[in-house]
Amino acid sequence: MFSEKDFISNLSVIPFETKSFQWSSPSNIALVKYWGKKENIVNFLGEPAKQIPANPSVSFTLNHCKTITKFDVKKTTDGNFTFELLFEGKPKPEFNQKVNQFFLRIEEYCSYINYFHFVIDTQNTFPHSSGIASSASGMAAMAMNIMSLEKSLNPEMTNEFFYQKASFLARLGSGSACRSIKGNVVVWGKHDEISTSSDLFGVEFPSQLHENFHNYQDTILLVDKGEKQVSSTIGHDLMHNHPFAEKRFEQAHTNLSALKKVLENGNLEEFIKIVESEALTLHAMMMTSLPYFILMKPNTLEIINKIWKFRNETKIPVCFTLDAGANVHVLYPENVSETVLQFIQQELVGYCQNGNYICDAIGNGSQLM
Ligand code: DP6
């Protein structure tokens, strides 16, 4: 396992003038939620460590909701990285600050970026204004391209290092992005029962995933496609001095222990309890912070109640989870997908903005294109 120090690459011999890379990185949906960052942690240089989660989390990697990002890099002698950011081929100045912050955060570990000018062209496979967080897939795709560049400077690098550093860099861009690198179920944050787990990067779920979860379905109901009311960065900050924070962080550890067993033994009844409780707890934390806020919409609640009624009546193991927003992720096994999709189309689509929803399923992670 690598430590922060191992991720410092001081490569200074640039054996080419230009290179191009392209990666696709998926979004992910957390089952045990990351909400809150550790304060007062220092890294090996004695500097404040960034993006260290207050509790461990685990997510399903998605398959269709992706960001595709192309890097055209050109060697320069400026001594500082420069970049142009395009979204679907056109300049997108609104994204410059996030990308600049990402480069500044990774500079310590990838000083070679200062020998290059980057033309970054990015696009999403999901509608831009869908309210689906693109920061996880977006930052993961950035990190993959950076690692391709590093690999072309240091071809000897192992695959293990490649993916672990990619996750480490993605985390510096956006915490949940470190879970969009590799694997269909990814754990991020130190947990006692998962020896490979780390606060610094995501790791693949170490046990064999029960077949009940193979090709698990996630239909995302787009209830509200508006801009996020509260950015996650501000949201995470509200866990500092939150009256329930410590209990919540403990609970995430317990829930991850329980979910680990469930992912191994396929107990869907237990899966549903943990996943729905995590979603509601995330929103409960937002409702009880100062300032407090409510990100669910009336239609979010309508959908939740309909899912509960349908599950009670049919005994079909369908459940929901939520992100930091109003959209609902409907999760269910592949073998009931026909019936559940019918239910979604007949009873839930009416609660979606313009009837929009996205059918996704568990996927494998980032891919070189
Ligand atoms: C509610 O990863 O978007 O989706 O690290 O500040 O970029 P930053 O936050 P971000 O937070 C995601 C929070 C969440 C839960 C989760 O994905 O675990």
Side-chain angles (χ1 to χ4, degrees), residues 21-22 40 53 67 88-89 92 117 152 194 203 205 229 243 260 263 321 338 351 361:
F21 316 100
Q22 189 172 19
N40 308 323
T67 299
E88 295 176 346
K92 186 87 176 173
H117 176 71
S152 59
I194 300 174
V203 297
F205 182 64
Q229 243 182 71
K260 178 176 181 285
L263 294 172
T321 189
E338 210 173 304
Y351 298 114

PDB file of all heavy atoms in Angstrom, residues 21-22 40 53 67 88-89 92 117 152 194 203 205 229 243 260 263 321 338 351 361:
ATOM      1  N   PHE A  21      -4.500  12.113 -24.782  1.00  0.00           N
ATOM      2  CA  PHE A  21      -5.120  10.998 -24.050  1.00  0.00           C
ATOM      3  C   PHE A  21      -6.611  11.268 -23.972  1.00  0.00           C
ATOM      4  O   PHE A  21      -7.039  12.424 -24.032  1.00  0.00           O
ATOM      5  CB  PHE A  21      -4.594  10.904 -22.610  1.00  0.00           C
ATOM      6  CG  PHE A  21      -3.113  11.060 -22.479  1.00  0.00           C
ATOM      7  CD1 PHE A  21      -2.561  12.275 -22.094  1.00  0.00           C
ATOM      8  CD2 PHE A  21      -2.267   9.997 -22.755  1.00  0.00           C
ATOM      9  CE1 PHE A  21      -1.199  12.425 -21.976  1.00  0.00           C
ATOM     10  CE2 PHE A  21      -0.900  10.134 -22.638  1.00  0.00           C
ATOM     11  CZ  PHE A  21      -0.355  11.353 -22.256  1.00  0.00           C
ATOM     12  N   GLN A  22      -7.368  10.195 -23.787  1.00  0.00           N
ATOM     13  CA  GLN A  22      -8.796  10.383 -23.555  1.00  0.00           C
ATOM     14  C   GLN A  22      -9.309   9.278 -22.638  1.00  0.00           C
ATOM     15  O   GLN A  22      -9.047   8.097 -22.867  1.00  0.00           O
ATOM     16  CB  GLN A  22      -9.555  10.362 -24.872  1.00  0.00           C
ATOM     17  CG  GLN A  22     -10.999  10.775 -24.696  1.00  0.00           C
ATOM     18  CD  GLN A  22     -11.738  10.960 -26.004  1.00  0.00           C
ATOM     19  OE1 GLN A  22     -11.309  10.451 -27.036  1.00  0.00           O
ATOM     20  NE2 GLN A  22     -12.827  11.680 -25.965  1.00  0.00           N
ATOM     21  N   ASN A  40      -8.107  19.576  11.036  1.00  0.00           N
ATOM     22  CA  ASN A  40      -6.855  19.522  11.800  1.00  0.00           C
ATOM     23  C   ASN A  40      -6.034  18.263  11.571  1.00  0.00           C
ATOM     24  O   ASN A  40      -5.407  17.738  12.485  1.00  0.00           O
ATOM     25  CB  ASN A  40      -7.130  19.645  13.314  1.00  0.00           C
ATOM     26  CG  ASN A  40      -7.973  20.850  13.627  1.00  0.00           C
ATOM     27  OD1 ASN A  40      -7.804  21.899  12.997  1.00  0.00           O
ATOM     28  ND2 ASN A  40      -8.890  20.713  14.562  1.00  0.00           N
ATOM     29  N   PRO A  53     -11.863  12.202   4.562  1.00  0.00           N
ATOM     30  CA  PRO A  53     -13.264  12.014   4.950  1.00  0.00           C
ATOM     31  C   PRO A  53     -13.408  11.773   6.445  1.00  0.00           C
ATOM     32  O   PRO A  53     -12.552  11.140   7.055  1.00  0.00           O
ATOM     33  CB  PRO A  53     -13.668  10.762   4.167  1.00  0.00           C
ATOM     34  CG  PRO A  53     -12.396   9.981   4.042  1.00  0.00           C
ATOM     35  CD  PRO A  53     -11.298  11.000   3.893  1.00  0.00           C
ATOM     36  N   THR A  67     -18.359  11.027 -17.623  1.00  0.00           N
ATOM     37  CA  THR A  67     -17.702  12.186 -18.226  1.00  0.00           C
ATOM     38  C   THR A  67     -16.591  11.657 -19.130  1.00  0.00           C
ATOM     39  O   THR A  67     -15.858  10.749 -18.737  1.00  0.00           O
ATOM     40  CB  THR A  67     -17.092  13.104 -17.146  1.00  0.00           C
ATOM     41  OG1 THR A  67     -18.132  13.567 -16.306  1.00  0.00           O
ATOM     42  CG2 THR A  67     -16.375  14.296 -17.760  1.00  0.00           C
ATOM     43  N   GLU A  88     -17.690  20.352 -24.380  1.00  0.00           N
ATOM     44  CA  GLU A  88     -18.249  19.965 -25.687  1.00  0.00           C
ATOM     45  C   GLU A  88     -17.642  20.810 -26.803  1.00  0.00           C
ATOM     46  O   GLU A  88     -18.350  21.309 -27.681  1.00  0.00           O
ATOM     47  CB  GLU A  88     -19.782  20.075 -25.653  1.00  0.00           C
ATOM     48  CG  GLU A  88     -20.388  19.082 -24.673  1.00  0.00           C
ATOM     49  CD  GLU A  88     -21.903  19.220 -24.518  1.00  0.00           C
ATOM     50  OE1 GLU A  88     -22.458  20.237 -24.965  1.00  0.00           O
ATOM     51  OE2 GLU A  88     -22.504  18.303 -23.950  1.00  0.00           O
ATOM     52  N   GLY A  89     -16.348  21.029 -26.722  1.00  0.00           N
ATOM     53  CA  GLY A  89     -15.616  21.722 -27.780  1.00  0.00           C
ATOM     54  C   GLY A  89     -15.615  23.239 -27.696  1.00  0.00           C
ATOM     55  O   GLY A  89     -14.913  23.901 -28.456  1.00  0.00           O
ATOM     56  N   LYS A  92     -15.404  27.154 -21.714  1.00  0.00           N
ATOM     57  CA  LYS A  92     -16.382  27.171 -20.617  1.00  0.00           C
ATOM     58  C   LYS A  92     -15.710  27.802 -19.405  1.00  0.00           C
ATOM     59  O   LYS A  92     -15.232  27.114 -18.490  1.00  0.00           O
ATOM     60  CB  LYS A  92     -16.809  25.717 -20.328  1.00  0.00           C
ATOM     61  CG  LYS A  92     -17.911  25.558 -19.322  1.00  0.00           C
ATOM     62  CD  LYS A  92     -19.271  25.640 -19.957  1.00  0.00           C
ATOM     63  CE  LYS A  92     -20.358  25.380 -18.938  1.00  0.00           C
ATOM     64  NZ  LYS A  92     -21.691  25.615 -19.488  1.00  0.00           N
ATOM     65  N   HIS A 117       1.339  22.767 -21.411  1.00  0.00           N
ATOM     66  CA  HIS A 117       0.082  23.464 -21.646  1.00  0.00           C
ATOM     67  C   HIS A 117      -0.961  22.383 -21.942  1.00  0.00           C
ATOM     68  O   HIS A 117      -0.703  21.475 -22.727  1.00  0.00           O
ATOM     69  CB  HIS A 117       0.216  24.427 -22.834  1.00  0.00           C
ATOM     70  CG  HIS A 117      -1.076  25.096 -23.174  1.00  0.00           C
ATOM     71  ND1 HIS A 117      -1.647  26.067 -22.378  1.00  0.00           N
ATOM     72  CD2 HIS A 117      -1.930  24.916 -24.221  1.00  0.00           C
ATOM     73  CE1 HIS A 117      -2.792  26.459 -22.921  1.00  0.00           C
ATOM     74  NE2 HIS A 117      -2.988  25.776 -24.041  1.00  0.00           N
ATOM     75  N   SER A 152       3.419   8.143 -19.324  1.00  0.00           N
ATOM     76  CA  SER A 152       4.256   8.305 -20.511  1.00  0.00           C
ATOM     77  C   SER A 152       5.622   8.911 -20.148  1.00  0.00           C
ATOM     78  O   SER A 152       6.582   8.807 -20.905  1.00  0.00           O
ATOM     79  CB  SER A 152       3.537   9.094 -21.607  1.00  0.00           C
ATOM     80  OG  SER A 152       3.189  10.352 -21.122  1.00  0.00           O
ATOM     81  N   ILE A 194     -11.822  -3.600   6.784  1.00  0.00           N
ATOM     82  CA  ILE A 194     -11.352  -3.646   5.395  1.00  0.00           C
ATOM     83  C   ILE A 194      -9.900  -3.194   5.400  1.00  0.00           C
ATOM     84  O   ILE A 194      -9.597  -1.993   5.411  1.00  0.00           O
ATOM     85  CB  ILE A 194     -12.249  -2.779   4.476  1.00  0.00           C
ATOM     86  CG1 ILE A 194     -13.683  -3.324   4.548  1.00  0.00           C
ATOM     87  CG2 ILE A 194     -11.729  -2.766   3.027  1.00  0.00           C
ATOM     88  CD1 ILE A 194     -14.724  -2.528   3.824  1.00  0.00           C
ATOM     89  N   VAL A 203     -10.609   2.027  -2.660  1.00  0.00           N
ATOM     90  CA  VAL A 203     -10.129   0.674  -2.996  1.00  0.00           C
ATOM     91  C   VAL A 203     -11.325  -0.188  -3.405  1.00  0.00           C
ATOM     92  O   VAL A 203     -12.444   0.045  -2.952  1.00  0.00           O
ATOM     93  CB  VAL A 203      -9.384  -0.014  -1.817  1.00  0.00           C
ATOM     94  CG1 VAL A 203      -8.130   0.765  -1.449  1.00  0.00           C
ATOM     95  CG2 VAL A 203     -10.281  -0.180  -0.587  1.00  0.00           C
ATOM     96  N   PHE A 205     -13.916  -3.081  -3.355  1.00  0.00           N
ATOM     97  CA  PHE A 205     -14.476  -3.903  -2.286  1.00  0.00           C
ATOM     98  C   PHE A 205     -13.752  -5.243  -2.300  1.00  0.00           C
ATOM     99  O   PHE A 205     -13.692  -5.909  -3.338  1.00  0.00           O
ATOM    100  CB  PHE A 205     -15.980  -4.091  -2.532  1.00  0.00           C
ATOM    101  CG  PHE A 205     -16.680  -4.886  -1.474  1.00  0.00           C
ATOM    102  CD1 PHE A 205     -16.769  -4.423  -0.168  1.00  0.00           C
ATOM    103  CD2 PHE A 205     -17.266  -6.106  -1.790  1.00  0.00           C
ATOM    104  CE1 PHE A 205     -17.426  -5.151   0.806  1.00  0.00           C
ATOM    105  CE2 PHE A 205     -17.925  -6.842  -0.812  1.00  0.00           C
ATOM    106  CZ  PHE A 205     -18.004  -6.364   0.485  1.00  0.00           C
ATOM    107  N   GLN A 229     -28.693  23.775  -4.582  1.00  0.00           N
ATOM    108  CA  GLN A 229     -28.948  24.848  -3.617  1.00  0.00           C
ATOM    109  C   GLN A 229     -27.744  25.088  -2.713  1.00  0.00           C
ATOM    110  O   GLN A 229     -27.454  26.200  -2.324  1.00  0.00           O
ATOM    111  CB  GLN A 229     -30.089  24.380  -2.726  1.00  0.00           C
ATOM    112  CG  GLN A 229     -31.340  25.190  -2.773  1.00  0.00           C
ATOM    113  CD  GLN A 229     -32.319  24.582  -1.776  1.00  0.00           C
ATOM    114  OE1 GLN A 229     -32.131  24.681  -0.567  1.00  0.00           O
ATOM    115  NE2 GLN A 229     -33.341  23.937  -2.276  1.00  0.00           N
ATOM    116  N   PRO A 243     -24.298  19.097  15.993  1.00  0.00           N
ATOM    117  CA  PRO A 243     -24.569  18.429  17.271  1.00  0.00           C
ATOM    118  C   PRO A 243     -24.551  16.894  17.177  1.00  0.00           C
ATOM    119  O   PRO A 243     -24.312  16.212  18.175  1.00  0.00           O
ATOM    120  CB  PRO A 243     -25.960  18.938  17.665  1.00  0.00           C
ATOM    121  CG  PRO A 243     -26.554  19.504  16.421  1.00  0.00           C
ATOM    122  CD  PRO A 243     -25.403  19.984  15.593  1.00  0.00           C
ATOM    123  N   LYS A 260     -21.038  -4.609   4.477  1.00  0.00           N
ATOM    124  CA  LYS A 260     -19.995  -5.511   3.966  1.00  0.00           C
ATOM    125  C   LYS A 260     -20.529  -6.945   3.964  1.00  0.00           C
ATOM    126  O   LYS A 260     -20.430  -7.656   2.963  1.00  0.00           O
ATOM    127  CB  LYS A 260     -18.737  -5.385   4.837  1.00  0.00           C
ATOM    128  CG  LYS A 260     -17.605  -6.303   4.432  1.00  0.00           C
ATOM    129  CD  LYS A 260     -16.364  -6.051   5.281  1.00  0.00           C
ATOM    130  CE  LYS A 260     -15.197  -6.939   4.887  1.00  0.00           C
ATOM    131  NZ  LYS A 260     -15.347  -8.336   5.339  1.00  0.00           N
ATOM    132  N   LEU A 263     -23.224  -7.396   1.264  1.00  0.00           N
ATOM    133  CA  LEU A 263     -22.696  -7.483  -0.105  1.00  0.00           C
ATOM    134  C   LEU A 263     -22.083  -8.858  -0.358  1.00  0.00           C
ATOM    135  O   LEU A 263     -22.016  -9.329  -1.486  1.00  0.00           O
ATOM    136  CB  LEU A 263     -21.670  -6.373  -0.367  1.00  0.00           C
ATOM    137  CG  LEU A 263     -22.237  -4.942  -0.370  1.00  0.00           C
ATOM    138  CD1 LEU A 263     -21.111  -3.908  -0.454  1.00  0.00           C
ATOM    139  CD2 LEU A 263     -23.234  -4.719  -1.505  1.00  0.00           C
ATOM    140  N   THR A 321     -32.131   5.529  -2.857  1.00  0.00           N
ATOM    141  CA  THR A 321     -31.138   6.318  -2.133  1.00  0.00           C
ATOM    142  C   THR A 321     -31.137   7.720  -2.732  1.00  0.00           C
ATOM    143  O   THR A 321     -31.723   7.960  -3.784  1.00  0.00           O
ATOM    144  CB  THR A 321     -29.741   5.671  -2.111  1.00  0.00           C
ATOM    145  OG1 THR A 321     -28.916   6.438  -1.205  1.00  0.00           O
ATOM    146  CG2 THR A 321     -29.075   5.639  -3.478  1.00  0.00           C
ATOM    147  N   GLU A 338     -37.903  -5.856 -15.144  1.00  0.00           N
ATOM    148  CA  GLU A 338     -39.053  -5.611 -16.023  1.00  0.00           C
ATOM    149  C   GLU A 338     -40.236  -5.039 -15.221  1.00  0.00           C
ATOM    150  O   GLU A 338     -40.804  -4.006 -15.578  1.00  0.00           O
ATOM    151  CB  GLU A 338     -39.444  -6.924 -16.689  1.00  0.00           C
ATOM    152  CG  GLU A 338     -40.051  -6.717 -18.062  1.00  0.00           C
ATOM    153  CD  GLU A 338     -40.273  -8.062 -18.746  1.00  0.00           C
ATOM    154  OE1 GLU A 338     -39.293  -8.826 -18.877  1.00  0.00           O
ATOM    155  OE2 GLU A 338     -41.421  -8.330 -19.087  1.00  0.00           O
ATOM    156  N   TYR A 351     -43.698  12.190 -11.434  1.00  0.00           N
ATOM    157  CA  TYR A 351     -43.089  13.085 -10.441  1.00  0.00           C
ATOM    158  C   TYR A 351     -41.760  13.664 -10.913  1.00  0.00           C
ATOM    159  O   TYR A 351     -41.128  14.453 -10.219  1.00  0.00           O
ATOM    160  CB  TYR A 351     -42.856  12.332  -9.124  1.00  0.00           C
ATOM    161  CG  TYR A 351     -44.132  11.829  -8.498  1.00  0.00           C
ATOM    162  CD1 TYR A 351     -44.378  10.466  -8.382  1.00  0.00           C
ATOM    163  CD2 TYR A 351     -45.090  12.731  -8.032  1.00  0.00           C
ATOM    164  CE1 TYR A 351     -45.557  10.001  -7.813  1.00  0.00           C
ATOM    165  CE2 TYR A 351     -46.271  12.271  -7.469  1.00  0.00           C
ATOM    166  CZ  TYR A 351     -46.504  10.912  -7.365  1.00  0.00           C
ATOM    167  OH  TYR A 351     -47.667  10.466  -6.803  1.00  0.00           O
ATOM    168  N   ALA A 361     -26.866   1.185 -14.356  1.00  0.00           N
ATOM    169  CA  ALA A 361     -26.612  -0.063 -13.634  1.00  0.00           C
ATOM    170  C   ALA A 361     -25.173  -0.007 -13.159  1.00  0.00           C
ATOM    171  O   ALA A 361     -24.409   0.876 -13.554  1.00  0.00           O
ATOM    172  CB  ALA A 361     -26.813  -1.254 -14.570  1.00  0.00           C
TER     173      ALA A 361
END
